Amino acid sequence: MAASTNQCGSELRASVAPRRSFPMKIFVAGATGAVGLPLVRQLCTLGHRVVGMTRGGTGVDRLRELGAGVSTADAFDRQAVRQAIADAAPDAVIDQLTWLPANPADIIKAMPDDTRLHKEGGANLLAAAEELGVDRFIMQSRAFFLQARPGQLGDETARFRDDAPGPVGESARVLEEYEDKVLASNALNGVVLRYGFFYGPGTWYRPGGAVAEQARKGEASIIGDGPAVWSFVHIDDAVAATVAALGTGSGIYNIVDDDPLSVSEWMPAFARWVDAPAPARISVNDALAVAGEEAVYYHTKLTGASNARAKASLGFSPRRLLWASIDKSKSDA
């Protein structure tokens, strides 16, 4: 087993790990989520032996039809998680656990559950992987919580926005602590993938998705001047980067596309892409009253992320943001 030489803090964290021979045995937690299910499909297609952990229900058959094994261990049950990983005897554990609502309007309400899942479920996965001698641990993190100066993109040295309001700040603090534990482990090779906002099949951001439906109903509004910069990533590009991370060095990688856009830019372009009316405008004060400070934060404070390291180390080559080039004249015709 290769020992990790990761450093925590503000330094660029990376170490060199030997590339493993394929196929591998891989345990995927959150295996039926927006990124989990297409990831399992791709891993099985490549010939890897995959066990997916899911809550049960229809997810079990969705994994079986891909050729994956199934575990219905509860992420919050430490012993059940340990037993599931022991039974799978994987070379790598990939944490894609999320707790997201069907309606994006409920994201702030759901965030405490999602945060708890990362804090407790992630800790259970990491502890089991370390105890059982798993070689590699890959965790899902978020590129949209990074601190960066105005006009600049956050790179892998950036720390998280711990001062964000309410559940957003708590989520940022928990994810940052989780990242540090993964990277500090001496028992395994830890990889942190900081994804941008997912779009494409199975996500909110697609022509048939929940955000598109909100836009077509005229429910989407830009808060203030909409200066916050968002970085997106197509779900298939996120999967490709995750597969590549199975054979690269330990460390952090921002998995985002090449089109970071302000809210005032991406929301009107997205509306044109999904044949929705242009989004309305709402003042910061009005938004504070009806949507809360967390929503205002997302529209006014977020900064984009740089993908230069992922391109250099993972061979990451994301497609252009699909609505970035939609002609403005389409909405004026």
Side-chain angles (χ1 to χ4, degrees):
M1 180 184 304
S4 170
T5 58
N6 300 308
Q7 299 293 319
C8 296
S10 61
E11 298 179 7
L12 188 65
R13 292 167 278 189
S15 66
V16 176
R19 294 182 179 272
R20 294 188 59 86
S21 59
F22 283 48
M24 297 172 64
K25 292 186 292 182
I26 303 169
F27 186 91
V28 180
T32 54
V35 67
L37 193 64
L39 174 62
V40 170
R41 180 184 295 111
Q42 181 65 9
L43 291 172
C44 289
T45 299
L46 291 172
H48 297 296
R49 294 172 56 189
V50 181
V51 173
M53 190 174 90
T54 185
R55 296 176 186 173
T58 60
V60 171
D61 288 339
R62 296 174 76 186
L63 290 172
R64 285 175 175 165
E65 67 187 16
L66 295 178
V70 181
S71 167
T72 56
D74 182 347
F76 295 113
D77 186 332
R78 192 177 186 89
Q79 285 304 117
V81 169
R82 187 193 183 283
Q83 188 60 55
I85 293 178
D87 291 343
D91 303 303
V93 169
I94 303 177
D95 177 4
Q96 297 288 355
L97 292 172
T98 57
W99 191 315
L100 300 177
N103 185 350
D106 296 329
I107 181 62
I108 301 303
K109 294 179 182 178
M111 196 169 283
D113 288 327
D114 184 69
T115 299
R116 178 179 171 237
L117 185 60
H118 291 296
K119 184 174 184 176
E120 299 178 20
N124 290 340
L125 289 168
L126 180 60
E130 290 178 318
E131 183 179 343
L132 295 168
V134 175
D135 179 69
R136 179 166 297 258
F137 190 94
I138 299 174
M139 68 162 284
Q140 176 188 138
S141 189
R142 292 169 183 163
F144 44 88
F145 283 164
L146 304 183
Q147 297 183 35
R149 294 179 180 177
Q152 296 185 357
L153 300 176
D155 64 14
E156 285 78 5
T157 67
R159 301 299 283 175
F160 277 26
R161 292 180 171 273
D162 297 343
D163 61 345
V168 179
E170 179 62 17
S171 178
R173 290 186 288 273
V174 165
L175 281 170
E176 187 170 64
E177 182 179 349
Y178 187 11
E179 283 192 2
D180 289 344
K181 289 179 179 178
V182 169
L183 295 168
S185 177
N186 291 316
L188 46 73
N189 291 295
V191 178
V192 173
L193 299 182
R194 291 174 172 171
Y195 300 106
F197 290 99
F198 293 131
Y199 79 96
T203 74
W204 292 334
Y205 298 91
R206 58 187 174 90
V211 171
E213 186 64 22
Q214 288 180 339
R216 284 190 285 266
K217 290 180 178 178
E219 297 174 353
S221 299
I222 297 171
I223 298 175
D225 293 329
V229 176
W230 289 33
S231 287
F232 288 86
V233 64
H234 191 280
I235 204 74
D236 290 340
D237 293 331
V239 167
T242 308
V243 173
L246 289 166
T248 194
S250 300
I252 301 174
Y253 302 90
N254 292 340
I255 309 302
V256 299
D257 66 21
D258 295 323
D259 296 289
L261 294 174
S262 68
V263 171
S264 63
E265 294 174 299
W266 79 255
M267 282 189 67
F270 179 82
R272 293 190 292 271
W273 186 55
V274 300
D275 297 318
R281 296 270 183 167
I282 183 173
S283 71
V284 169
N285 286 337
D286 287 345
L288 284 171
V290 301
E293 59 182 339
E294 294 88 357
V296 171
Y297 194 86
Y298 268 71
H299 278 234
T300 62
K301 298 297 184 182
L302 298 188
T303 51
S306 167
N307 62 13
R309 184 160 184 254
K311 284 185 170 182
S313 299
L314 301 179
F316 184 54
S317 182
R319 72 203 69 195
R320 187 170 190 199
L321 182 63
L322 292 182
W323 58 84
S325 60
I326 299 297
D327 189 350
K328 185 178 184 299
S329 63
K330 178 180 177 182
S331 62
D332 300 330

